Amino acid sequence: MLTHVRDFLEAHTGRPLRSNRFLLGVSGGMDSMVLLDICRRLELNCSVATVNYHFRPEADRETELVVNSAADAGFTCYQLHPDKASSSGNLQQQAR
């Protein structure tokens, strides 16, 4: 799996992986946590970004997981906590 990811990234960036810098969008879900772990194993130069809208009870726990996992991997983690007042209504419509 690691070889496939490394080959894919090198083919699509056109440069050796060590000369790239990646920003990972990590939600705390299984897919993005696996992506974070793969990048850690490949020793990529990464930073992590996560957004917590505080819409679900487990959101704070997921953000903590992302922050801790990023720190464990040696990645800088950027957090965004949008103001709930500005996040009311249909979130998908606002994103458009």
Side-chain angles (χ1 to χ4, degrees):
M1 171 67 101
L2 293 177
T3 302
H4 293 299
V5 173
R6 184 186 63 239
D7 292 348
F8 176 86
L9 290 173
E10 285 181 347
H12 286 81
T13 62
R15 301 176 1 184
L17 288 185
R18 305 288 167 133
S19 63
N20 287 296
R21 183 155 176 80
F22 298 94
L23 176 63
L24 308 176
V26 181
S27 67
M30 180 66 73
D31 292 351
S32 62
M33 293 304 294
V34 169
L35 176 63
L36 191 153
D37 187 58
I38 288 171
C39 291
R40 177 191 61 79
R41 289 176 184 219
L42 289 173
E43 299 178 351
L44 300 181
N45 185 4
C46 294
S47 294
V48 172
T50 190
V51 180
N52 184 343
Y53 291 99
H54 302 278
F55 287 155
R56 298 174 295 111
E58 62 273 14
D60 289 338
R61 208 170 44 247
E62 290 170 347
T63 297
E64 184 178 353
L65 173 66
V66 171
V67 169
N68 291 338
S69 297
D72 290 346
F75 300 155
T76 300
C77 186
Y78 301 96
Q79 299 177 59
L80 180 63
H81 297 264
D83 183 19
K84 282 189 177 184
S86 66
S87 303
S88 62
N90 185 328
L91 184 61
Q92 288 181 338
Q93 186 62 36
Q94 290 178 15
R96 292 186 186 113

